[in-house]
Amino acid sequence: MASKLVVLAIVSVLLGYYVYTPIPEAVEERWKLMLVDAAFRSLEHLAELTELIGFKHYMEMMMVLTVAESVDPSSDENVNVTDTTFNKVPVRVYEPISHSPGLRRAVIYIHGGGWCLGSAKMQPYDLLSRKSATELDAVIISVEYRLAPVYHFPDQYNDVYTVVKYFLQRDVLLQHSVDPGRVALSGDSAGGNLVAAVAQQIQEDPDVQGEIKIQALIYPALQTIDFNTPSYQQNENMPILPKTLMVRFWSEYFSCDKLLLQNMMANSHTTLESRSLSNFANWSIHLPERFRKDYKYMLPDRGNTDSSARIPGVFDSRAAPLLVGDEKLRSLPQAYIVTCEFDVLRDDGAMYATRLEKAGVQVTHEHFEESFHGAFMFITWPTDFAIGQKMVSHYIDWLRKNL
Ligand SMILES: *[C@@H]1O[C@H](CO)[C@@H](O)[C@H](O)[C@H]1NC(C)=O
Ligand SMILES: *[C@@H]1O[C@H](CO)[C@@H](O)[C@H](O)[C@H]1NC(C)=O
């Protein structure tokens, strides 16, 4: 713990000039965010360097943080924690020890990290699961899906799908004393992406026994059509998740092909085929005015499209769940969608909220004016932020009332 702070301090001093990133006034604890961001950017630059000299893939270097934050499964007086597998996919299961008699709720949780990073075992996710288990008297299934660059789409998606399908079996639910009518699917960032995608597909699978009662999407990534939405433009250089990193995550999800990354960065990766889908992510139609602001809508450019045409999945709705017609949205479970003002992904979430509502799905869209991408995970010392605690407590309150 202390070593984490020391590393953070050293890195911040060495790269002092890094610290002076302009951070919007509306963000609380700005100095703390500047320090955390300086540490993050140092790691990103180190990753770029190690990749440049051919030592390690960029994401392998970035993975250092995930590994450093890993904790073993340890039970405490409230929660029994075990690592196991569901149909060969690793999961960490949190069960409240002293629970009221009868059946209880369950949350299947999908961590974030751009399909490349992160783990159910990371301290903030571990804490979130413990808190959710205790405060909701719920069983939490935290999924350890495979990651890029070793595994690409649809492996991440398939792992989550497998776990959800397995857990929804009557006998498995009963074995965990879970009420089949009270199962939630929830995740942040890339995890929110996987939640939205799996929720859409699972409703059409005749072999799935139960159903998802609610879906919670915390600042999800949902579309691959346009990386120039107002939020991508406004927050291009925002701490934690600048546009370059988000686009890199997207391209790594599909392939390590550098041409795809270049085209995605230039927003010139769309194809003739994707044109027919682009209205589903058209922000001049689906984005509320308060988010559109004065940004001028521009058609995504169709430049060198070979890369995305060659690589399967880029416009597959299992990867980009905003890219489906209304008929597919209508029967989706009730949704809780969180967005942050200072986040490139704000408009992905806001557009999905609008489209779900129009399709008749019950939606709670909670927008945090003073927050930034990743805040939901910033709940453990020394990277704890009041806004992170606030977001987590709102999330748990919403689940308490709706699950
Ligand atoms: C914790 O879970 C394990 C595995 O399911 C079980 O064997 C053990 O009895 C549980 N412990 C408590 C205190 O509930
Ligand atoms: C998005 O919507 C606007 C306004 O309706 C329209 O002019 C534009 O062509 C649409 N873009 C795409 C890619 O369909």
Side-chain angles (χ1 to χ4, degrees):
M1 261 306 137
S3 65
K4 211 154 110 185
L5 191 64
V6 171
V7 170
L8 193 73
I10 292 172
V11 167
S12 309
V13 169
L14 282 177
L15 301 156
Y17 71 99
Y18 265 21
V19 178
Y20 297 97
T21 10
I23 291 185
E25 296 278 342
V27 175
E28 294 164 19
E29 302 177 90
R30 284 169 73 217
W31 271 100
K32 202 169 187 175
L33 184 56
M34 282 181 197
L35 283 174
V36 173
D37 184 50
F40 261 67
R41 275 184 301 141
S42 315
L43 184 63
E44 280 160 29
H45 284 200
L46 193 62
E48 275 165 25
L49 196 69
T50 52
E51 183 169 66
L52 199 68
I53 61 171
F55 177 56
K56 267 183 187 329
H57 185 279
Y58 180 86
M59 292 301 172
E60 274 182 81
M61 194 66 212
M62 295 291 285
M63 198 61 189
V64 165
L65 211 63
T66 300
V67 175
E69 290 215 87
S70 258
V71 292
D72 288 334
S74 66
S75 302
D76 57 31
E77 68 276 22
N78 300 316
V79 196
N80 190 1
V81 185
T82 34
D83 280 349
T84 178
T85 56
F86 281 0
N87 210 354
K88 301 201 186 85
V89 179
V91 291
R92 185 167 279 191
V93 180
Y94 299 79
E95 294 186 283
I97 289 171
S98 60
H99 60 90
S100 41
L103 299 178
R104 49 201 176 171
R105 303 155 159 144
V107 179
I108 304 172
Y109 196 85
I110 320 300
H111 71 78
W115 311 278
C116 298
L117 311 172
S119 162
K121 297 173 182 165
M122 274 177 94
Q123 208 192 5
Y125 287 119
D126 189 71
L127 179 66
L128 176 68
S129 295
R130 283 168 196 280
K131 233 174 129 62
S132 313
T134 318
E135 293 185 24
L136 298 166
D137 186 24
V139 175
I140 313 296
I141 310 296
S142 194
V143 184
E144 195 72 338
Y145 54 94
R146 286 170 295 171
L147 300 174
V150 180
Y151 301 98
H152 297 285
F153 173 81
D155 290 347
Q156 288 81 342
Y157 164 87
N158 282 338
D159 284 355
V160 175
Y161 195 96
T162 300
V163 167
V164 174
K165 188 168 177 174
Y166 176 92
F167 189 65
L168 286 177
Q169 297 174 99
R170 286 283 153 145
D171 52 336
V172 176
L173 290 173
L174 279 180
Q175 197 187 316
H176 290 91
S177 310
V178 169
D179 182 342
R182 299 176 85 185
V183 179
L185 186 52
S186 169
D188 62 298
S189 199
N193 164 278
L194 292 162
V195 166
V198 169
Q200 285 180 6
Q201 302 301 324
I202 218 138
Q203 60 176 355
E204 291 169 359
D205 185 342
D207 295 334
V208 172
Q209 291 182 353
E211 55 176 26
I212 296 295
K213 183 177 186 194
I214 56 176
Q215 51 179 329
L217 316 175
I218 316 298
Y219 40 65
L222 298 170
Q223 57 89 23
T224 43
I225 291 282
D226 193 351
F227 301 133
N228 245 337
T229 61
S231 61
Y232 267 106
Q233 293 184 51
Q234 173 185 295
N235 303 305
E236 185 173 357
N237 299 311
M238 208 45 74
I240 314 304
L241 188 67
K243 176 177 167 174
T244 45
L245 183 57
M246 188 60 229
V247 173
R248 176 98 202 224
F249 281 145
W250 268 121
S251 77
E252 294 291 342
Y253 189 19
F254 303 107
S255 161
C256 295
D257 184 323
K258 282 289 181 324
L259 193 59
L260 178 65
L261 173 62
Q262 279 167 26
N263 289 333
M264 281 182 158
M265 275 309 300
N267 213 31
S268 64
H269 60 288
T270 58
T271 61
L272 210 53
E273 174 217 348
S274 74
R275 273 289 157 108
S276 62
L277 302 170
S278 50
N279 258 330
F280 298 140
N282 189 331
W283 61 262
S284 79
I285 303 171
H286 306 299
L287 198 62
E289 205 169 338
R290 65 175 169 140
F291 298 131
R292 261 187 276 148
K293 300 180 184 172
D294 288 331
Y295 290 96
K296 295 273 171 295
Y297 181 78
M298 280 200 312
L299 280 177
D301 194 20
R302 204 147 58 76
N304 179 348
T305 58
D306 290 2
S307 51
S308 25
R310 229 172 349 98
I311 293 158
V314 176
F315 304 107
D316 190 319
S317 62
R318 293 170 305 160
L322 186 64
L323 309 183
V324 295
D326 293 349
E327 67 289 349
K328 195 140 179 162
L329 301 177
R330 273 180 211 123
S331 45
L332 282 174
Q334 184 184 353
Y336 176 64
I337 301 180
V338 170
T339 53
C340 298
E341 181 60 23
F342 305 111
D343 180 1
V344 289
L345 297 178
R346 179 198 69 192
D347 298 344
D348 282 26
M351 282 194 275
Y352 202 46
T354 311
R355 292 203 51 216
L356 285 175
E357 248 165 25
K358 272 195 200 141
V361 176
Q362 209 181 323
V363 179
T364 308
H365 176 193
E366 185 156 28
H367 179 64
F368 289 89
E369 284 292 348
E370 70 281 43
S371 197
F372 53 92
H373 194 90
F376 200 69
M377 273 197 73
F378 288 140
I379 53 172
T380 53
W381 188 87
T383 52
D384 53 327
F385 284 79
I387 185 65
Q389 311 281 6
K390 179 174 162 184
M391 287 170 73
V392 167
S393 85
H394 283 214
Y395 160 78
I396 290 180
D397 280 349
W398 189 85
L399 287 177
R400 192 179 288 116
K401 287 186 199 112
N402 293 280
L403 180 57

